[in-house]
Amino acid sequence: MDLSRGLKSRHLTMISIGGVLGTGLFLYTGAALQEGGPLGILLAFSIMGSVTYAVMISLGEMVSASPLPGGAISLAARFVDESLSFTLGWFYWYTWTIFLPSELSAIAVLVNLWNTSVNNAVWISIFLVAAVGINMMGSAWYGETEFWLSYIKIFLIVGLIIVDIVISAGGVKGAPAIGFKYWRTPGPFVQAPGVGGALGRFLGFWSTLTRAAFSYIGSEIVAIAAGETQNPRKNVPRAIRNVYIRILLFYILGVFVIGITVPSDDPRLGLNSGTALASPFVIAIQTAGIKVLPTIVNAALLASGLSAANSELFTSSRALHGLAVNGHAPGVFGRTSARGVPYVAILSCAAFGALAYMSIKSSAGTAFGYLATLGSAGGLLMWWGVCVIHIRFEKGLRLQRVPRADLPYTNVLTRRGAAAKYAVVLITIILFFSGYGVFLKGAWDTPTFITTYLPIMLFPVVYGGHKLWTRCKVVPYEDMVFNVYADVQEEKEESKSRWRRLFDAVV
């Protein structure tokens, strides 16, 4: 049985927001601030935001026309070749499989703010079971859960931005105005260890790019969800069209207020601080002397963590299901229940959540750092693949003389693959130099080198190995199919209240 199309317009809108809002922004931006400084983190998130937007509009153009199960995994087989589909599928699966235990570890750290008497293994188990339960109930339940949890995320980030601006302006009784004090001392950039001068400041900024990538990866969940969405020809473009607003409002403005309220040399920013205070938002509130708010914020952060874990299990299971549907994984992973739930894929991916138990020891931050680096590299390679697919997709449109006006969604920046070409160049540079630090004199670190460059080295190996084994050929431009959306059943649009229409206009 096929996957059920249980996701409604409002679900997809909120999922598209939830995909880019999680502990990557709320918790781990602290480490990025510590490495790059306030201006460094702002530049890093702005650059990665532009890459994210380029990838999203390119992906949105393809997936709205061809809303296939598996998203880009299936698009790769249709517009490039089976080898790229195989490679992207397995890399995407491992990316989200790794992110799941990372998120569960973060949730356990957040709970520690209130209760340290209970072993973290208990909290990890509770939230893992909750994520599995929600996913096993089907896409409609998943969508409804994400809809309400994403509301919490939006109110949380907007509230935190307002609070940080008030703190910076001196609006908290007893706390002095900060302004841009921390841009002067300790300074706008942080020197990379062992490197002085302008080069050291540049390398400090560069080190934050992969952390920014970790925060943004997940935006493409809309493409995976398209295979289970009602009216994908209308609802996918609707979710894609305003993505730049979310990038500007939530991420770039978010890291800006972090940089003006928390000094980059604050020791609480380290991932191994052991408590939720590693969140720069919470640090700013605590430093300002606001007593109750940190607890409220961390409660909302817990909801954010559950939402992210929920989405990560959803995404990894759909990637595994998509691999099975395309013949790149055992067929058992393609099985669905009577309600269209890929239960075998869900349970298989959930089993990897046990990796979160590695974080029970004091080295939780270090373990997370390695997992996040592995996942970020995999996610960026997936984005790189999306760009390659779109470059061929766009050329196929031109050679077959398919009018762009006939596409459900298009963007002026995607003409002749411009956005995809921009993103593929930047992603290549970022991936190649992401682990520069290990090559500095006296700074060699084997685990960092492996987690940074192993995925990059394996990508061409997996692609080439599959190519040699199957001898599959690249899809000729004249054989590309662009009318898959015509086979998707359009369903009646759900009615919207005045408040829902206003909310859609904002987000």
Side-chain angles (χ1 to χ4, degrees):
M1 182 177 175
D2 294 334
L3 297 174
S4 65
R5 292 189 178 272
L7 296 177
K8 300 177 181 179
S9 171
R10 61 187 177 91
H11 293 157
L12 197 65
T13 298
M14 299 305 287
I15 288 171
S16 68
I17 297 172
V20 296
L21 286 178
T23 52
L25 172 63
F26 295 127
L27 191 58
Y28 300 116
T29 43
L33 176 61
Q34 194 175 49
E35 291 180 356
L39 182 54
I41 189 177
L42 182 61
L43 289 174
F45 273 79
S46 298
I47 291 171
M48 284 310 305
S50 70
V51 172
T52 302
Y53 183 68
V55 171
M56 287 297 291
I57 59 176
S58 301
L59 183 59
E61 191 169 79
M62 295 186 292
V63 80
S64 59
S66 303
L68 303 172
I73 301 169
S74 299
L75 292 172
R78 184 170 295 276
F79 300 120
V80 184
D81 62 11
E82 290 290 340
S83 293
L84 185 61
S85 176
F86 176 87
T87 307
L88 288 183
W90 281 109
F91 268 73
Y92 200 55
W93 170 80
Y94 109 76
T95 296
W96 288 103
T97 301
I98 284 177
F99 279 165
L100 175 60
S102 298
E103 203 70 46
L104 293 172
S105 301
I107 291 172
V109 170
L110 291 172
V111 175
N112 287 340
L113 186 68
W114 298 293
N115 191 323
T116 57
S117 62
V118 179
N119 193 296
N120 281 351
V122 175
W123 303 119
I124 291 172
S125 301
I126 290 173
F127 283 95
L128 178 59
V129 170
V132 172
I134 292 169
N135 274 270
M136 289 294 284
M137 287 188 289
S139 59
W141 279 86
Y142 163 76
E144 198 65 29
T145 303
E146 282 303 294
F147 177 78
W148 293 108
L149 288 178
S150 291
Y151 262 120
I152 296 176
K153 291 182 183 184
I154 292 170
F155 287 126
L156 173 62
I157 186 60
V158 171
L160 288 173
I161 289 172
I162 293 173
V163 168
D164 277 10
I165 291 174
V166 171
I167 291 173
S168 178
V172 178
K173 185 178 180 180
I178 301 173
F180 282 83
K181 172 184 175 182
Y182 299 136
W183 282 56
R184 296 187 295 271
T185 305
F189 292 100
V190 173
Q191 296 283 145
V195 183
L199 178 60
R201 291 189 291 273
F202 172 78
L203 293 179
F205 142 73
W206 189 264
S207 66
T208 65
L209 281 173
T210 53
R211 294 194 183 278
F214 171 76
S215 299
Y216 278 117
I217 290 169
S219 306
E220 72 289 340
I221 193 175
V222 175
I224 291 288
E228 299 175 69
T229 302
Q230 298 173 4
N231 303 339
R233 191 179 183 187
K234 295 180 180 178
N235 292 331
V236 171
R238 187 177 294 158
I240 296 287
R241 195 167 283 121
N242 294 325
V243 69
Y244 72 94
I245 297 176
R246 299 169 199 133
I247 292 171
L248 290 172
L249 176 61
F250 299 145
Y251 266 86
I252 297 178
L253 184 55
V255 297
F256 171 75
V257 298
I258 288 171
I260 61 175
T261 52
V262 180
S264 59
D265 58 358
D266 192 310
R268 293 171 293 178
L269 290 171
L271 287 175
N272 278 319
S273 61
T275 72
L277 297 180
S279 169
F281 292 105
V282 179
I283 291 172
I285 294 169
Q286 187 193 49
T287 302
I290 306 175
K291 301 297 183 183
V292 180
L293 200 52
T295 300
I296 297 173
V297 169
N298 277 281
L301 288 177
L302 269 180
S304 172
L306 174 60
S307 171
N310 199 26
S311 294
E312 284 151 5
L313 182 56
F314 177 88
T315 308
S316 60
S317 62
R318 268 48 177 192
L320 187 56
H321 176 271
L323 282 165
V325 168
N326 285 282
H328 298 149
V332 66
F333 296 119
R335 290 182 182 176
T336 58
S337 68
R339 293 185 298 166
V341 178
Y343 63 95
V344 177
I346 291 173
L347 294 175
S348 300
C349 294
F352 287 89
L355 291 172
Y357 297 115
M358 292 191 310
S359 68
I360 293 174
K361 295 183 179 181
S362 59
S363 58
T366 302
F368 166 80
Y370 291 145
L371 289 173
T373 301
L374 274 170
S376 297
L380 285 174
L381 286 167
M382 179 69 180
W383 284 8
W384 185 91
V386 167
C387 295
V388 171
I389 298 168
H390 185 268
I391 291 169
R392 285 186 52 81
F393 169 87
E394 204 279 335
K395 187 172 181 180
L397 284 177
R398 286 186 282 114
L399 292 179
Q400 290 192 24
R401 300 184 182 279
V402 177
R404 295 182 66 85
D406 288 352
L407 296 176
Y409 169 78
T410 188
N411 188 295
V412 66
L413 297 177
T414 60
R415 294 181 183 275
R416 294 192 173 271
K421 291 173 182 176
Y422 162 77
V424 81
V425 169
L426 271 185
I427 291 171
T428 301
I429 295 172
I430 292 169
L431 283 171
F432 189 76
F433 292 104
S434 57
Y436 76 88
V438 299
F439 300 108
L440 298 176
K441 186 177 180 180
W444 177 261
D445 183 69
T446 301
T448 300
F449 175 80
I450 292 174
T451 54
T452 301
Y453 288 108
L454 182 62
I456 301 171
M457 293 184 289
L458 283 179
F459 193 88
V461 171
V462 174
Y463 177 83
H466 185 272
K467 196 81 169 174
L468 290 173
W469 182 263
T470 62
R471 299 189 182 278
C472 67
K473 295 183 178 180
V474 175
V475 178
Y477 290 110
E478 59 271 18
D479 292 343
M480 292 180 178
V481 179
F482 298 100
N483 63 343
V484 176
Y485 64 80
D487 299 326
V488 177
Q489 182 180 1
E490 297 292 321
E491 302 182 20
K492 184 180 179 181
E493 286 283 322
E494 60 177 331
S495 60
K496 293 183 180 181
S497 67
R498 182 185 308 169
W499 292 109
R500 277 287 305 143
R501 290 194 296 270
L502 175 62
F503 183 82
D504 283 347
V506 174
V507 301

